[in-house]
């Protein structure tokens, strides 16, 4: 019987250069999508999927993120004094969301290195990795869908989405064959980083959600810096593939790249339209623009 997935790792040690100048001082994980920092969407997804322990991999200048998931005595006291009950509840809820640990990645040496920083805290168990930039709107939380695949199949699981045409060249692309029993599952045989459309091995783009077995720590330890001088998670997973099964999984839902300016605009519009308090008002406003 395979072990349960109880821990989620959130790599947040990157510099967020795509979102400058906003991210010069503010960590990109703290940029608001409607009214919540993007990292909170990922944390809520993990908790709704049964995750019990959250590990943030942080770096320089990420203090705001730590404060966000901690108790804010001054804010809570002021809200209490002013009788703002609902806001007080909102503030308190964030700090009581989960058991949270932080590991500092001293230098941004790559996503693979960031994941490796969680080794001691994760231990010998399968774990989830969620890239906070990727915000996913799904009927069943994406990471829960993936945990279900892991529990059924027992190997690492990489989230993928189907991309038509040349846009595939912006992603890591899965090589492999569709599973005979479940068309959402791919039996992974390899991965190619940012291929041209003509040589892309499939239409399955890998996005920022993973279930990994602890063996990936062994392969990451042996991984030498690849593209951009960084230790790539992809290289660690490729080495894992030589020893274990790895699956691609086309999750049900829609993914937004909130670490990118255009992706954030798309996510803002779609998430705002869904809000009961002002969705209708916002829809009327957009219609009124007469685009
Ligand atoms: P990105 O490729 O989005 O890099 O990293 P970035 O530096 O954060 O952002 P840009 O591209 O400069 O705008 C993917 C994920 O890996 C984390 C990032 O925080 C992000 O969640 N990461 C990346 C680390 O934790 N450490 C690293 O050394 C590199």
């Amino acid at each position: 019987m395979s072990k349960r997935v109880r821990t989620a790792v959130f790599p947040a040690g990157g510099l967020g250069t795509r979102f400058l100048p906003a991210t010069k001082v503010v960590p990109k994980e703290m940029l608001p999508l409607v009214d919540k920092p993007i990292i909170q969407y990922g944390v809520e997804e993990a908790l709704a999927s049964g995750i019990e322990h959250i590990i943030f991999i942080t770096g320089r200048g990420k203090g705001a993120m730590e404060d966000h998931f901690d108790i804010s005595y001054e804010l809570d006291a002021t809200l209490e004094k002013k009788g703002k009950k609902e806001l007080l509840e909102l503030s308190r809820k964030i700090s009581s969301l989960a058991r949270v640990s932080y590991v500092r990645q001293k230098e941004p040496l790559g996503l693979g290195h960031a994941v490796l920083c969680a080794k001691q805290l994760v231990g010998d168990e399968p774990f989830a990795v969620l890239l906070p930039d990727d915000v996913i709107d799904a009927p069943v939380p994406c990471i829960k869908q993936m945990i279900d695949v892991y529990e059924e199949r027992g190997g690492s699981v990489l989230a993928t989405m189907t991309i038509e045409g040349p846009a595939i060249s912006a992603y890591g692309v899965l090589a492999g064959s569709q599973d005979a029993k479940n068309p959402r599952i791919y039996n992974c045989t390899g991965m190619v980083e940012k291929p041209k459309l003509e040589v892309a091995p499939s239409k399955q783009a890998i996005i920022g959600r993973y279930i990994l077995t602890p063996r990936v720590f062994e392969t990451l330890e042996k991984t030498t810096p690849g593209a951009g001088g960084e230790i790539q998670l992809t290289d660690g997973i490729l080495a894992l593939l030589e020893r274990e099964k790895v699956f691609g999984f086309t999750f049900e839902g829609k993914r937004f790249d909130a670490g990118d300016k255009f992706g954030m605009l798309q996510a803002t519009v779609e998430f705002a339209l869904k809000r009961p308090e002002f969705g209708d008002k916002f829809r009327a406003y957009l219609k009124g623009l007469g685009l």
Side-chain angles (χ1 to χ4, degrees):
M1 172 70 193
S2 52
K3 288 182 184 165
R4 225 161 58 74
V5 181
R6 298 188 300 174
T7 307
V9 177
F10 286 77
L15 298 176
T17 54
R18 282 175 299 152
F19 228 117
L20 281 168
T23 47
K24 190 174 173 196
V25 180
V26 177
K28 86 171 154 187
E29 296 76 15
M30 288 304 293
L31 295 177
L33 170 51
V34 185
D35 58 357
K36 262 192 283 190
I38 61 173
I39 186 121
Q40 196 175 329
Y41 288 88
V43 168
E44 289 177 357
E45 176 188 329
L47 297 177
S49 305
I51 294 292
E52 294 162 8
H53 182 198
I54 303 280
I55 302 172
F56 292 119
I57 311 299
T58 68
R60 283 185 72 79
K62 303 280 179 172
M65 220 176 74
E66 299 184 19
D67 289 345
H68 182 72
F69 291 100
D70 201 355
I71 292 170
S72 171
Y73 288 107
E74 301 88 334
L75 177 66
D76 291 0
T78 309
L79 292 174
E80 192 154 29
K81 215 162 94 193
K82 291 192 172 168
K84 305 211 165 181
K85 268 193 185 162
E86 275 177 29
L87 291 178
L88 178 64
E89 221 169 90
L90 212 62
S91 164
R92 284 203 174 136
K93 203 176 141 208
I94 299 161
S95 46
S96 60
L97 278 177
R99 183 157 85 85
V100 179
S101 306
Y102 296 91
V103 182
R104 185 110 168 183
Q105 187 189 21
K106 288 189 185 133
E107 275 180 89
L109 297 176
L111 178 57
H113 179 259
V115 170
L116 189 53
C117 289
K119 181 183 168 190
Q120 306 301 333
L121 281 173
V122 171
D124 190 27
E125 290 186 3
F127 62 104
V129 175
L130 292 89
L131 303 192
D133 291 15
D134 282 353
V135 177
I136 297 176
D137 185 25
V140 174
C142 177
I143 215 74
K144 170 77 173 80
Q145 298 178 42
M146 296 171 71
I147 291 172
D148 290 346
V149 175
Y150 168 78
E151 285 179 349
E152 191 196 307
R153 303 290 176 108
S156 294
V157 185
L158 320 178
T160 68
M161 59 183 197
T162 308
I163 301 278
E164 302 287 345
I168 195 82
S169 305
Y171 297 89
V173 180
L174 192 99
S177 55
Q178 205 164 15
D179 190 74
K181 277 198 216 138
N182 183 344
R184 287 191 175 275
I185 296 179
Y186 286 77
N187 297 294
C188 178
T189 53
M191 282 172 274
V192 184
E193 222 19 79
K194 301 186 171 65
K196 289 221 168 81
L197 176 62
E198 308 79 72
V199 292
S202 75
K203 291 180 180 175
Q204 297 307 309
I206 299 163
I207 61 116
R209 295 286 186 277
Y210 310 81
I211 303 293
L212 299 173
T213 62
R215 243 195 189 171
V216 78
F217 294 126
E218 289 168 36
T219 61
L220 280 171
E221 272 168 345
K222 291 186 194 131
T223 303
T224 47
E230 295 192 337
I231 295 177
Q232 302 288 346
L233 181 60
T234 314
D235 290 339
I237 298 174
L238 278 173
L240 188 67
L241 199 52
E242 288 168 20
R243 307 161 72 170
E244 293 183 356
K245 280 196 174 161
V246 176
F247 301 98
F249 175 66
T250 321
F251 64 95
E252 195 187 343
K254 188 165 179 183
R255 169 259 193 188
F256 297 89
D257 182 3
D260 168 78
K261 291 173 188 176
F262 189 72
M264 178 62 113
L265 288 170
Q266 290 174 307
T268 303
V269 171
E270 296 207 24
F271 277 73
L273 285 171
K274 285 193 173 190
R275 290 292 287 263
E277 322 92 285
F278 48 72
D280 288 345
K281 197 172 156 189
F282 188 50
R283 183 170 288 102
Y285 165 74
L286 290 177
K287 279 190 177 158
L289 291 176
L291 302 170

